Amino acid sequence: MEDSYALRVEGVPVGVSLWLEDPAGTPLPNPLPLAPGERRDLKVCYQAQGPGAFTAKVVARSLATGAENATWDVLEAVGAEPSPSSRRQTPRRHHPAQARRWSTP
């Protein structure tokens, strides 16, 4: 049974913008539809107006079951250049440059 996942990012400071895209740079739909067993790589891209550090919690919530899967990005902003962070379902704690993939059960 196909499911869709509502994606959200928590803990992003004021002045930092973000967007979600696939590895090719195409914006992702939100919610993100996935067929059973399907896997999707995605990136969370952050853009800060100035230097600073923060931890962002990235959450995918199943619209069918309400189950959530979360990961954390620990980031240091050094300026206004976009900083993509790839997503993968496991491991739960990771360095922002590691790949991550969301998948359905």
Side-chain angles (χ1 to χ4, degrees):
M1 174 175 170
E2 186 172 287
D3 194 359
S4 291
Y5 291 81
L7 306 170
R8 71 179 188 273
V9 182
E10 302 171 353
V12 178
V14 173
V16 175
S17 58
L18 69 98
W19 61 96
L20 305 170
E21 56 187 44
D22 69 16
T26 304
L28 287 177
N30 194 5
L32 179 65
L34 292 176
E38 182 181 4
R39 301 172 70 95
R40 293 282 303 267
D41 289 328
L42 63 96
K43 297 187 292 186
V44 179
C45 301
Y46 302 91
Q47 186 171 17
Q49 298 302 313
F54 63 96
T55 298
K57 180 179 178 182
V58 182
V59 181
R61 182 179 55 82
S62 165
L63 297 184
T65 67
E68 291 189 347
N69 186 350
T71 62
W72 290 261
D73 287 335
V74 178
L75 300 134
E76 182 176 352
V78 293
E81 290 297 315
S83 173
S85 172
S86 297
R87 309 257 117 244
R88 179 176 218 149
Q89 187 174 4
T90 54
R92 287 189 172 266
R93 296 197 60 88
H94 69 286
H95 184 278
Q98 290 180 326
R100 184 153 327 182
R101 178 173 289 168
W102 298 107
S103 63
T104 60

